[in-house]
Amino acid sequence: MVARRRVGAYGLLTGADGRVLLTRASALADFPGVWQLPGGGLEHAEHPADAVVREFAEETGLAVGVAGLEAVVADVVRLPDIGEALHTDRIIYRVTGVSGALRHEPDGTTDLVAWISPAEAAGLPLMPFTAELLGLPVTPLPEDVPPAAPRIPYGPPALDRRQRFGAYGLVTDPAERVLLTLIAEGYPGAGRWHLPGGGTDHGEQPVTALLREIVEESGQLGRVTALLDASSLHNPAALGPEGRPLDWHGVRVLYRVVVEVPTEPEVTELAGGSTARAAWFDRRDAAELPLTDIAARALRLVG
């Protein structure tokens, strides 16, 4: 079974009467007849907030605006007929209706769009992430039933193109010091101070991955308290350990993390990792350091 990954953006649009807008998967989708929130996979270099607006227009005919982050989750579905285990990182936004007329998607991976009440949704086959978001029981998908149309394998990524999903934390202690990590030589951003965190593994939830990375990069035990932000970084000529330029697209989610009992930071990840060292900083001192874009953004978000 080949392990594949993709990143998707989805929108939660709720009407005044409490109904939620859902779409039904067509014969072209992985699981025909199953309902989910409108949305889909990110294109290369696309910001997830832009992706959810695009997908909403394609699948429902509505132009929506992004109102905020609702949740970030991950799941793995097995596609036995093509021998793939597909991991999807799902960024879910709250959206507001702006304009347009509701319509079904022509010749796409959805064939029906409808306003559904929670009681009605309970009687429908739902994608697990949608059921969980609506507070409904999660039931397994039918792994042994192929779609009505032949499924096409996702295939390997382009040789010079990479998309990576990562989880990062604005980590503070009771004294409001900030934990930062120094990027090692040979990696993009070398010499800059970065947020603890990194890429998630196949099958790993973003919060689990972040807490693991914090331990590996600094030896600290943290507690996630809030979801802050989702961002996109595109570098068409990133030069890293591969030794050749890559068209790099990073999708990053940012969490607020508290370390209740801080210790002296110590890098514990395997030798050769991207983290040279870690340290606690007063916030004002941290703002004067050479920072990565996401570290600087995180400090601005919390004032």
Side-chain angles (χ1 to χ4, degrees):
M1 185 72 67
V2 179
R4 302 292 187 204
R5 296 194 65 162
R6 69 175 175 180
V7 183
Y10 304 83
L12 176 63
L13 180 60
T14 305
D17 58 1
R19 292 186 298 170
V20 175
L21 195 65
L22 298 179
T23 59
R24 187 180 68 184
S26 73
L28 300 176
D30 290 331
F31 297 98
V34 177
W35 293 77
Q36 68 171 28
L37 298 178
L42 272 63
E43 297 177 355
H44 190 73
E46 187 177 34
H47 193 290
D50 296 332
V52 73
V53 171
R54 173 183 56 77
E55 287 281 347
F56 234 91
E58 292 173 1
E59 295 182 353
T60 72
L62 298 180
V64 298
V66 172
L69 274 173
E70 180 68 22
V72 180
V73 296
D75 55 63
V76 178
V77 297
R78 299 174 70 84
L79 309 174
D81 56 310
I82 57 173
E84 293 189 354
L86 178 61
H87 171 123
T88 304
D89 296 294
R90 304 183 191 271
I91 301 173
I92 304 161
Y93 291 96
R94 298 184 300 278
V95 299
T96 56
V98 177
S99 62
L102 194 65
R103 54 121 178 99
H104 309 311
E105 182 179 20
D107 304 322
T109 55
T110 66
D111 60 11
L112 187 60
V113 57
W115 289 100
I116 307 290
S117 70
E120 292 169 332
L124 296 175
L126 298 171
M127 286 295 291
F129 83 96
T130 298
E132 184 177 11
L133 193 69
L134 299 179
L136 298 172
V138 175
T139 57
L141 291 167
E143 294 185 351
D144 58 342
V145 179
R151 189 150 38 199
I152 300 173
Y154 285 87
L159 182 62
D160 62 347
R161 177 177 286 186
R162 295 289 186 274
Q163 188 179 73
R164 181 175 184 259
F165 181 87
Y168 296 86
L170 177 61
V171 183
T172 58
D173 68 0
E176 288 301 308
R177 294 182 302 171
V178 178
L179 181 67
L180 296 175
T181 59
L182 184 66
I183 299 176
E185 290 298 322
Y187 289 84
R192 291 187 175 273
W193 289 91
H194 196 26
L195 296 180
T200 64
D201 293 336
H202 192 276
E204 193 173 34
Q205 292 289 342
V207 167
T208 303
L210 173 57
L211 296 179
R212 170 183 57 77
E213 288 278 350
I214 292 172
V215 170
E216 292 175 355
E217 295 179 348
S218 68
Q220 310 299 302
L221 298 178
R223 175 172 57 87
V224 172
T225 61
L227 173 63
L228 295 178
D229 191 31
S231 62
S232 174
L233 175 66
H234 179 221
N235 185 346
L239 187 62
E242 297 85 0
R244 57 184 174 81
L246 295 175
D247 187 351
W248 185 265
H249 179 208
V251 180
R252 299 89 54 91
V253 290
L254 173 64
Y255 293 90
R256 192 78 156 82
V257 181
V258 174
V259 172
E260 303 287 0
V261 184
T263 60
E264 185 65 26
E266 180 180 359
V267 179
T268 62
E269 63 181 339
L270 296 175
S274 60
T275 303
R277 65 187 183 95
W280 290 104
F281 293 95
D282 176 87
R283 284 199 196 185
R284 280 178 287 191
D285 292 338
E288 300 300 320
L289 296 170
L291 299 171
T292 61
D293 69 305
I294 191 172
R297 178 177 174 81
L299 290 174
R300 290 195 300 268
L301 280 174
V302 296

